[in-house]
């Protein structure tokens, strides 16, 4: 038996319930893993609220770390006793123990702790595919400016550090002066408090009126128009989240009028659709973390039993960096 967090219907944090579930043996292509720590992500709130619909009842959670207890037929990259971490569909990480597909589960290097492993996978792999794969048509070169919204969040603080390691000048945005300072402390070249300043105008000022090649936007509705204003001709707006709600329909002619712009809506799970791509991206992430160039900031820890409060704080923008659920 395992304790797990489940919802029986969509709604607010009050729908999150601790239940006992029976966990069996892994089938072909599956593993059974006993979690040491679980990561929280904004996507979890989308699934809870119904913005991203799933059949009910739903066990939440997209990333965790732990020890592999058993592997099913066909799983060759893991064995019982391995330290492991993952970001993976289907949801179910908010639990002590689970059976799940092994495809996206990676062996965790000994130098990386279970807490760091749980906090880094979904957010770190997201930063990896954004900075390495979601690129403007003209590419990115050292010295280029980029804009990254919600720069003091879990993905943002990893991106601040990784961008600096790549020689990029990251302009981060956040909603408070304190969060802007956190972004600067983690490698952002500039930080803009969008609750006080017009971030698009400030970006143009920072770049000498040129704008940037790419904006990485997880906020969505509230920042969409301003993000387009930040772009230079042929620039790319990569919308990878909906923190303020989904972007409403818009006239595609706007992209032509503003300089032959590009807009894309990538997802992590397209990028980790195969075992090979998952491992290659994870190897890149593990290497940059082990090198010390990127540190994983865990600023909030909650017990599994306190998951409702964790969701409230996440949605109220009270968190910075990464948030985990602890199981010990």
């Amino acid at each position: 038996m395992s304790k797990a967090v489940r919802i029986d219907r969509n709604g607010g944090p009050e729908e999150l319930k601790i239940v006992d579930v029976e966990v069996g043996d892994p089938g072909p292509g599956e593993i059974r893993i006993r979690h040491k720590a679980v990561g929280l992500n904004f996507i979890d709130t989308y699934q809870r609220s119904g913005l991203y619909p799933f059949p009910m009842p739903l066990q939440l959670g997209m990333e965790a770390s732990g020890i592999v207890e058993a592997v099913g037929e066909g799983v060759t990259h893991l064995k019982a006793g391995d330290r492991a971490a993952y970001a993976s569909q289907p949801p179910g990480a908010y639990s002590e123990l689970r059976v799940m597909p092994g495809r996206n589960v990676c062996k965790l290097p000994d130098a990386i702790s279970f807490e760091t492993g749980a906090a880094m996978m979904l957010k770190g792999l997201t930063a990896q595919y954004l900075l390495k794969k979601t690129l403007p048509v003209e590419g990115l070169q050292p010295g280029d400016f980029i804009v990254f919204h919600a720069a003091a969040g879990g993905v943002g603080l990893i991106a601040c550090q990784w961008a600096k390691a790549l020689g990029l000048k990251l302009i981060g945005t956040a909603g408070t002066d304190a969060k802007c300072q956190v972004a600067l402390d983690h490698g952002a070249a500039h930080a803009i408090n969008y609750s006080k300043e017009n971030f698009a105008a400030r970006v143009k000022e920072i770049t000498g009126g040129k704008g940037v090649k790419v904006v990485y936007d997880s906020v969505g509705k509230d920042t969409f128009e301003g993000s387009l204003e930040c772009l230079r001709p042929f620039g790319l707006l990569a919308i990878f989240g909906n923190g303020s709600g989904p972007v409403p329909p818009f006239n595609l002619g706007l992209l032509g009028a503003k300089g032959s712009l590009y807009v894309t809506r990538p997802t992590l799970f397209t990028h980790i659709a195969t075992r090979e791509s998952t491992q290659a991206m994870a190897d890149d992430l593990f290497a940059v973390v082990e090198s010390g160039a990127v540190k994983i900031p865990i600023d909030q820890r909650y017990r599994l039993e306190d998951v409702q409060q964790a969701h409230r704080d996440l949605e109220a923008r009270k968190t910075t960096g990464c948030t985990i659920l602890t199981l010990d």
Side-chain angles (χ1 to χ4, degrees), residues 65-66 78 82-86 106-117 120-121 279 282-291:
S65 66
L78 295 166
D82 280 347
R83 304 170 78 251
Y86 65 85
C106 299
K107 192 179 293 188
L108 185 66
D110 290 340
I112 299 176
S113 72
F114 285 116
E115 286 199 350
T116 298
M120 70 187 279
M121 292 300 286
Q279 192 63 57
D283 287 345
D284 195 20
L285 174 61
F286 293 154
V288 78
V289 170
E290 288 184 285
S291 76

Side-chain angles (χ1 to χ4, degrees), residues 314-327:
L314 197 63
E315 290 182 299
R317 305 292 197 277
K318 291 182 178 179
T319 65
T320 58
C322 300
T323 302
I324 62 169
L325 297 174
T326 59
L327 297 165

Side-chain angles (χ1 to χ4, degrees), residues 123 127 148-163 170 179-188 293-299 319-322:
K123 291 170 280 288
F148 209 102
H149 290 307
V155 178
L157 291 185
I158 294 172
C160 285
Q161 298 172 79
W162 209 332
L170 185 145
K179 287 188 175 185
C180 285
Q181 188 59 53
V182 171
L184 291 170
D185 292 344
H186 284 79
V294 171
K295 295 179 172 58
I296 307 300
I298 303 173
D299 294 337
T319 65
T320 58
C322 300

Side-chain angles (χ1 to χ4, degrees), residues 40-59:
L40 268 74
N41 296 280
F42 227 91
I43 192 174
D44 304 344
T45 70
Y46 301 158
Q47 294 171 0
R48 190 207 71 227
S49 69
L51 179 63
Y52 292 176
F54 277 82
M56 295 293 144
L58 175 63
Q59 187 172 308

Side-chain angles (χ1 to χ4, degrees), residues 31 33 77-78 84-86 100-107 275:
I31 68 159
I33 183 168
H77 65 290
L78 295 166
Y86 65 85
M100 62 179 294
R103 182 182 68 235
N104 298 130
V105 184
C106 299
K107 192 179 293 188
R275 169 83 210 118

Side-chain angles (χ1 to χ4, degrees), residues 190-304:
H190 300 270
I192 303 167
N193 181 343
Y194 56 68
S195 70
K196 292 182 175 179
E197 293 189 89
N198 180 319
F199 71 82
R202 184 80 178 97
V203 166
K204 287 293 182 69
E205 182 182 321
I206 291 168
T207 60
K210 293 179 180 178
V212 297
K213 289 180 178 179
V214 61
V215 175
Y216 297 110
D217 188 342
S218 63
V219 177
K221 177 172 66 69
D222 289 353
T223 50
F224 174 70
E225 291 185 8
S227 292
L228 290 179
E229 293 297 325
C230 292
L231 293 170
R232 59 192 282 180
F234 307 110
L236 170 67
L237 171 54
I239 301 168
F240 67 100
N242 313 284
S244 65
V247 174
F250 68 97
N251 180 0
L252 285 173
L254 189 65
L255 304 181
K258 290 184 177 296
S260 299
L261 303 180
Y262 296 78
V263 175
T264 185
R265 181 44 172 105
T267 72
L268 171 63
F269 298 104
T270 311
H271 288 83
I272 59 172
T274 68
R275 169 83 210 118
E276 293 74 21
S277 62
T278 301
Q279 192 63 57
M281 291 170 63
D283 287 345
D284 195 20
L285 174 61
F286 293 154
V288 78
V289 170
E290 288 184 285
S291 76
V294 171
K295 295 179 172 58
I296 307 300
I298 303 173
D299 294 337
Q300 297 80 213
R301 292 171 173 82
Y302 300 83
R303 296 181 307 150
L304 187 70

